[in-house]
Amino acid sequence: DAGVTQSPTHLIKTRGQQVTLRCSPKSGHDTVSWYQQALGQGPQFIFQYYEEEERQRGNFPDRFSGHQFPNYSSELNVNALLLGDSALYLCASSFWGLQTEAFFGQGTRLTVV
Amino acid sequence: AQSVTQLDSHVSVSEGTPVLLRCNYSSSYSPSLFWYVQHPNKGLQLLLKYTSAATLVKGINGFEAEFKKSETSFHLTKPSAHMSDAAEYFCVVSDLRDTGRRALTFGSGTRLQVQP
């Protein structure tokens, strides 16, 4: 049983560019959440998707957007990249509405230069 | 609103001695509480969770945590540290609400060093 998979594992982008990160949830999970983990800090919640809709959003600007597909996989898009967007981006999957744990992928390390 | 405070950014112990990682939380609702571990260049792994059942929660690899509502604490313990326990540990709170929405709020992390 594959867990949560994210791609790519590493990415280098230039300021002002756009980036798309991808996530496939654990088999059977229907909810995907995205987190940003800056160096030396705890992950911060970006947003959550269920039934292809954004259900909850953290304190992130509109430059951060997402999408969920019918197969429950998800994308995170970041426009107009800033140096401060450099971080580890983590995807978590879970069941909607059940108080079960979230399973995390290994993350995508984004470096903006 | 919810928040988590991990009281120590770094903890260093000797192999074979007890581990104590401290966590205090704040939540407007009945909380669900978790401890996750992150090894270098790896994702987050769940150690244990509290979701309003027994207040003493047992997790993987010999870790335990006790939910103390009066103290708003959820400290992580292990009787005897192993070298492989060296990692970053995160205390996490989530609100258990009727809507079923769940956003996890992470603490800033505690780096555990285990000396031989």
Side-chain angles (χ1 to χ4, degrees):
Chain A
D1 175 26
V4 180
T5 58
Q6 292 186 242
S7 63
T9 53
H10 294 83
L11 204 51
I12 299 175
K13 289 287 188 178
T14 303
R15 275 181 299 174
Q17 284 189 318
Q18 179 264 344
V19 68
T20 298
L21 310 181
R22 294 176 176 82
C23 172
S24 293
K26 181 177 169 64
S27 178
H29 284 180
D30 55 13
T31 303
V32 173
S33 302
W34 287 92
Y35 292 81
Q36 181 195 66
Q37 185 178 17
L39 199 60
Q41 297 182 23
Q44 288 196 309
F45 175 72
I46 303 174
F47 44 53
Q48 179 187 71
Y49 277 85
Y50 169 68
E51 289 189 331
E52 303 178 49
E53 290 186 12
E54 183 182 294
R55 298 293 178 154
Q56 196 171 6
R57 189 179 182 92
N59 188 26
F60 279 80
D62 292 345
R63 297 187 297 109
F64 289 77
S65 62
H67 189 78
Q68 185 180 35
F69 299 93
N71 67 352
Y72 307 121
S73 67
S74 176
E75 288 181 350
L76 163 66
N77 301 292
V78 187
N79 294 322
L81 284 167
L82 304 174
L83 295 180
D85 295 331
S86 296
L88 180 67
Y89 288 86
L90 294 163
C91 170
S93 74
S94 58
F95 291 110
W96 177 260
L98 297 178
Q99 196 57 29
T100 60
E101 65 267 26
F103 287 78
F104 284 82
Q106 296 208 2
T108 294
R109 173 74 61 186
L110 172 65
T111 302
V112 182
V113 297
Chain B
Q2 55 193 14
S3 65
V4 174
T5 301
Q6 291 185 242
L7 300 172
D8 306 291
S9 59
H10 288 86
V11 170
S12 182
V13 301
S14 297
E15 190 174 21
T17 64
V19 174
L20 170 63
L21 305 184
R22 299 182 294 166
C23 170
N24 287 116
Y25 71 91
S26 172
S27 177
S28 304
Y29 299 85
S30 297
S32 291
L33 293 158
F34 309 82
W35 276 97
Y36 280 86
V37 61
Q38 187 175 40
H39 291 274
N41 301 316
K42 292 198 174 182
L44 291 159
Q45 181 185 19
L46 179 71
L47 279 178
L48 49 80
K49 63 179 180 180
Y50 166 79
T51 53
S52 75
T55 57
L56 181 61
V57 181
K58 294 185 183 297
I60 62 172
N61 301 334
F63 284 95
E64 292 184 350
E66 186 172 7
F67 173 70
K68 292 186 176 180
K69 186 175 181 179
S70 61
E71 299 177 8
T72 61
S73 69
F74 191 58
H75 301 334
L76 181 69
T77 61
K78 183 174 181 178
S80 176
H82 191 272
M83 295 296 290
S84 61
D85 294 328
E88 188 85 18
Y89 291 79
F90 292 98
C91 183
V92 180
V93 65
S94 176
D95 283 342
L96 187 61
R97 306 189 194 185
D98 293 337
T99 60
R101 295 177 298 159
R102 293 186 298 116
L104 302 179
T105 298
F106 284 75
S108 55
T110 298
R111 180 163 297 278
L112 175 65
Q113 287 184 307
V114 182
Q115 309 291 344

